[in-house]
Amino acid sequence: MPALASQCEVCRQWGGSALCADCVARFAAPVPRCGRCGLRLALPAAACGACLRDPPPFEHTVCVADYGFPWDALIAAFKFRGRPELAAVLAGRLRAAVDVSAAPPPQCLLPVPLAPARLAERGYNQAWELARRLGRMLGVPAEAQLLWRPADSVHQAGLGRAERQRNMVDAFMVDPRRRGELAGRRVALVDDVMTTGATARAAATALLRGGAAAVDLWVVARTPDD
Ligand SMILES: [Zn+2]
Ligand SMILES: [Zn+2]
């Protein structure tokens, strides 16, 4: 990592970090959210209307910000152009959001896995780059191989929401040799972006089926409307 890379990625101010204090205050300030799915609300609530009607398999969602400026550009640079220093910045912001959240501490951090073809193409899993840094920061073990994503299921394009959700359910599985490591434990699933939530729901469902006691979701950014 270049030790002198101290220009803010967003406002170009020279300082001590790839995201300066002014930009953190402006773009990463906590806002009221649904404690369960992270949806931005007028007032904080343990669960929004959608979560009351159809509770997701995760108990708490922690997110830094809504997906939009400047997070879209930062995440794209991190995801598609490598940029390890951005992984550190994003993991740091996520850690700060975890610190002020009501989510109980997990016993293990698990990245949402990429399908093998995507992993081969990108060369790294951005969720793992976040999870392993968070694990170091928080002193919690991070496990890249416990949750599997065997292969892309049926092509999702052109399918309706319900069909996509059905397809997703079998997209993840717990390594059958390692179920004992999961049994009875609270885990946090880590990802860069939560869009529809379908991926997070499928991964969390697989973890609960695999024996996890509870699953939380930690994401850098969440699309404002699920
Ligand atoms: Zn800045
Ligand atoms: Zn909700």
Side-chain angles (χ1 to χ4, degrees):
M1 183 192 304
L4 299 175
S6 57
Q7 191 176 18
C8 175
E9 288 288 327
V10 179
C11 70
R12 299 288 153 198
Q13 172 177 289
W14 286 92
S17 166
L19 189 62
C20 76
D22 289 348
C23 286
V24 167
R26 186 170 308 158
F27 302 115
V31 298
R33 293 186 183 278
C34 168
R36 186 110 194 206
C37 74
L39 182 69
R40 190 171 185 158
L41 300 172
L43 296 167
C48 67
C51 286
L52 288 173
R53 283 190 300 278
D54 180 19
F58 32 87
E59 284 188 8
H60 300 269
T61 293
V62 175
C63 74
V64 176
D66 283 342
Y67 189 66
F69 182 83
W71 304 101
D72 47 0
L74 291 173
I75 288 169
F78 159 51
K79 203 157 156 173
F80 302 115
R81 297 196 290 279
R83 307 292 308 273
E85 73 281 16
L86 288 180
V89 169
L90 296 173
R93 294 327 313 162
L94 190 47
R95 189 244 164 108
V98 166
D99 282 347
V100 300
S101 79
Q107 291 159 290
C108 186
L109 302 180
L110 303 172
V112 172
L114 287 179
R118 183 67 61 82
L119 184 59
E121 174 193 317
R122 187 168 299 159
Y124 62 98
N125 178 357
Q126 72 278 2
W128 171 242
E129 294 304 313
L130 295 172
R132 67 187 181 86
R133 285 172 171 82
L134 281 161
R136 271 207 309 268
M137 290 174 192
L138 297 168
V140 175
E143 289 289 344
Q145 304 294 336
L146 214 154
L147 182 63
W148 290 351
R149 190 169 189 167
D152 263 330
S153 48
V154 184
H155 198 55
Q156 301 278 1
L159 297 181
R161 189 189 159 111
E163 287 170 302
R164 270 206 306 272
Q165 185 71 59
R166 261 199 307 281
N167 259 342
M168 286 296 300
V169 167
D170 297 320
F172 297 93
M173 66 177 288
V174 170
D175 179 345
R177 297 162 302 185
R178 299 184 63 185
R179 281 174 160 249
E181 292 172 53
L182 201 58
R185 301 179 88 189
R186 170 176 287 275
V187 301
L189 259 177
V190 178
D191 210 353
D192 55 336
V193 182
M194 171 183 175
T195 35
T196 65
T199 303
R201 280 172 184 258
T205 300
L207 289 168
L208 292 172
R209 283 181 186 164
V215 181
D216 293 329
L217 180 63
W218 295 3
V219 294
V220 175
R222 185 203 196 286
T223 49
D225 192 22
D226 193 342

